[in-house]
C-alpha cells in the first residue's frame, strides 16, 4: 500500500487572508491501494466516513475520472492527527492525500502544479493547500483556475504554539460572519501587512511578525465566535509571543514563539487550566515543516 503523509497547515497569518499559509509538524497519514469497492477504516478509532462520501476516497475517484482512468475502488486506512474543523487544514490534508495517492497509483499522469490547481479548485482557495503540498511558508494566488505560489523554508529558530479549543468551528460559519464590503482603509491596512509578513519570512526577520500579522478584514468578526478568543490572544502576548493570530477560520489561536523559549509552553500549560475562560484550550508545541506532503 502507498503511504501518504500530509502536514497540518495554518492559513492567513492574520493579514494574509486566503493568501498566506505555512506547514507544521502535525500529520495525517493515509495508506491507500486499489481494490474492488470501497473499503475505509481508521487506524486510530477516529469517527470518519467509511463510505464513498469520505473526502479522500471521493477526491481520489474524481482524479481517476478526470484522467479517464478505470476506477474499481480503493482500500484506505486513515490516521487523523490533525484536529478536524479547528483551523489547521484538516480538509486540505484530506484533499492532498486523495490527489497524491490517486495520482501515484495511476503512474503520476498529473504534474504537481496541476494537482495543486485541482486541489485549490476543490477547496476554493490555496492558503492551506499550497503549504500542505509544498511545506514551508507559502504565498499563493489563485487566478483563473491556476495557483501561483512562492515557497520559503521557515527557519528552525521558530516554534508555533497552537491553542486548540475543545469545540469545532465550521469554515462556512466563520465565513458567514464576514462583511460583504470592507473599507479602503481596512484593505490598505491588510495589504501592507500581508506584504510585510511575506518579506519577513523571506528575509528571516521574524521580529516584524508582531506588526505583520495584525488584521482588519476577518479576525475582529471571527473572535466573537471563539469562546475565550480575546483572552487567549492576551495570554499569548503576555507570555512573550512574537505574533498571535487566528489560524485559518479558527477556532485555533496560533502564537509564533522562539524555538528555544521552553518557558513559554510551560507557563501556557500551567495557565490554561487555572482560567475559567481558557481551560477548554490545549496547547500544542509544533515546529515548521519544510518538506510538505510525501508518498512512499
Amino acid at each position: 500500500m502507498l503511504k501518504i503523509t500530509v502536514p497540518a497547515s495554518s492559513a492567513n497569518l492574520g493579514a494574509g487572508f486566503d493568501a498566506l499559509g505555512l506547514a507544521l509538524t502535525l500529520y495525517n497519514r493515509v495508506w491507500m491501494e486499489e481494490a474492488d469497492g470501497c473499503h475505509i477504516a481508521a487506524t486510530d478509532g477516529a469517527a470518519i466516513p467509511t463510505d464513498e462520501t469520505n473526502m479522500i476516497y471521493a477526491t481520489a475517484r474524481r482524479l481517476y475520472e478526470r484522467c479517464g482512468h478505470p476506477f474499481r475502488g480503493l482500500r484506505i486506512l486513515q490516521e487523523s492527527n490533525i484536529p478536524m474543523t479547528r483551523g489547521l487544514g484538516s480538509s486540505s490534508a484530506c484533499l492532498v492525500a486523495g490527489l497524491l495517492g490517486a495520482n501515484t497509483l495511476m503512474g503520476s499522469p498529473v504534474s504537481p502544479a496541476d494537482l495543486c490547481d485541482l486541489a485549490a479548485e476543490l477547496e476554493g482557495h490555496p492558503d492551506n493547500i499550497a503549504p500542505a503540498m509544498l511545506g514551508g511558508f507559502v504565498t499563493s494566488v489563485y487566478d483563473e483556475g491556476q495557483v501561483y505560489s512562492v515557497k520559503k523554508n521557515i527557519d528552525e529558530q521558530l516554534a508555533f504554539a497552537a491553542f486548540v479549543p475543545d469545540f469545532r468551528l465550521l469554515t462556512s460559519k466563520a465565513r458567514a460572519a464576514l462583511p460583504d464590503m470592507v473599507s479602503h482603509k481596512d484593505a490598505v491596512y491588510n495589504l501592507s501587512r500581508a506584504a510585510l509578513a511575506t518579506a519577513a519570512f523571506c528575509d528571516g526577520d521574524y521580529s516584524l511578525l508582531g506588526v505583520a500579522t495584525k488584521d482588519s478584514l476577518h479576525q475582529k468578526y471571527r473572535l466573537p465566535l471563539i469562546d475565550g478568543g480575546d483572552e487567549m490572544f492576551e495570554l499569548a502576548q503576555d507570555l512573550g509571543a512574537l505574533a498571535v493570530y487566528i489560524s485559518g477560520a479558527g477556532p485555533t489561536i496560533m502564537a509564533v514563539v522562539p524555538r528555544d523559549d521552553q518557558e513559554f509552553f510551560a507557563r501556557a500549560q500551567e495557565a490554561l487550566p487555572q482560567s475559567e475562560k481558557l481551560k477548554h484550550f490545549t496547547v500544542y508545541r509544533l515546529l515548521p515543516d519544510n518538506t510538505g506532503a510525501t508518498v512512499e
Side-chain angles (χ1 to χ4, degrees):
M1 297 180 80
L2 295 179
K3 179 184 178 182
I4 308 107
T5 303
V6 188
S9 52
S10 180
N12 298 333
L13 280 73
F17 186 68
D18 280 2
L20 304 183
L22 52 83
L24 299 166
T25 54
L26 182 65
Y27 302 96
N28 278 5
R29 296 179 177 87
V30 176
W31 291 263
M32 181 187 297
E33 66 182 1
E34 292 184 333
D36 290 321
C38 176
H39 309 275
I40 302 171
T43 63
D44 52 4
I48 61 170
T50 56
D51 58 11
E52 295 185 3
T53 65
N54 179 283
M55 185 179 291
I56 298 172
Y57 185 94
T59 303
R61 180 173 190 166
R62 183 165 184 163
L63 187 62
Y64 268 76
E65 293 171 349
R66 181 169 291 205
C67 292
H69 195 285
F71 182 80
R72 298 184 294 114
L74 295 170
R75 179 173 288 104
I76 293 173
L77 298 176
Q78 285 183 236
E79 178 185 294
S80 304
N81 297 304
I82 304 172
M84 292 185 285
T85 58
R86 297 298 205 284
L88 290 170
S90 61
S91 63
S92 292
C94 289
L95 290 174
V96 169
L99 291 174
L100 286 178
N103 194 48
T104 304
L105 288 173
M106 290 188 291
S108 301
V110 183
S111 71
D114 287 340
L115 285 178
C116 193
D117 293 344
L118 178 55
E121 174 190 325
L122 296 174
E123 183 81 339
H125 38 85
D127 52 350
N128 287 105
I129 291 294
M133 294 191 74
L134 303 174
F137 167 81
V138 188
T139 302
S140 304
V141 172
Y142 187 48
D143 185 66
E144 296 184 357
Q146 185 172 350
V147 176
Y148 300 86
S149 63
V150 175
K151 171 195 170 180
K152 176 68 176 179
N153 283 350
I154 303 172
D155 197 292
E156 292 185 357
Q157 65 181 284
L158 290 186
F160 297 83
F163 293 94
V164 184
D166 61 4
F167 60 86
R168 299 183 178 188
L169 177 58
L170 295 176
T171 301
S172 57
K173 182 177 180 180
R175 284 190 175 268
L178 304 182
D180 293 329
M181 301 288 289
V182 298
S183 69
H184 184 270
K185 179 181 178 181
D186 284 347
V188 171
Y189 185 97
N190 269 54
L191 177 62
S192 61
R193 282 158 178 78
L196 183 63
T198 300
F201 274 97
C202 288
D203 195 46
D205 188 354
Y206 302 120
S207 67
L208 298 173
L209 292 180
V211 171
T213 53
K214 291 182 178 180
D215 161 80
S216 286
L217 295 186
H218 70 103
Q219 293 193 147
K220 61 185 176 183
Y221 304 106
R222 288 172 164 172
L223 266 176
L225 303 177
I226 304 173
D227 184 23
D230 287 313
E231 292 80 8
M232 194 70 261
F233 262 69
E234 183 177 348
L235 174 64
Q237 290 165 346
D238 288 346
L239 293 177
L242 297 172
V244 188
Y245 63 91
I246 297 176
S247 183
T252 292
I253 306 296
M254 189 70 69
V256 187
V257 300
R259 185 170 182 170
D260 59 1
D261 188 358
Q262 299 293 336
E263 186 179 352
F264 179 97
F265 293 93
R267 291 172 62 196
Q269 289 176 333
E270 181 181 355
L272 294 180
Q274 295 178 4
S275 170
E276 191 65 30
K277 293 184 177 181
L278 299 177
K279 64 182 182 180
H280 56 284
F281 282 89
T282 300
V283 61
Y284 292 79
R285 182 179 183 271
L286 304 175
L287 299 177
D289 175 288
N290 287 317
T291 302
T294 60
V295 183
E296 304 173 36

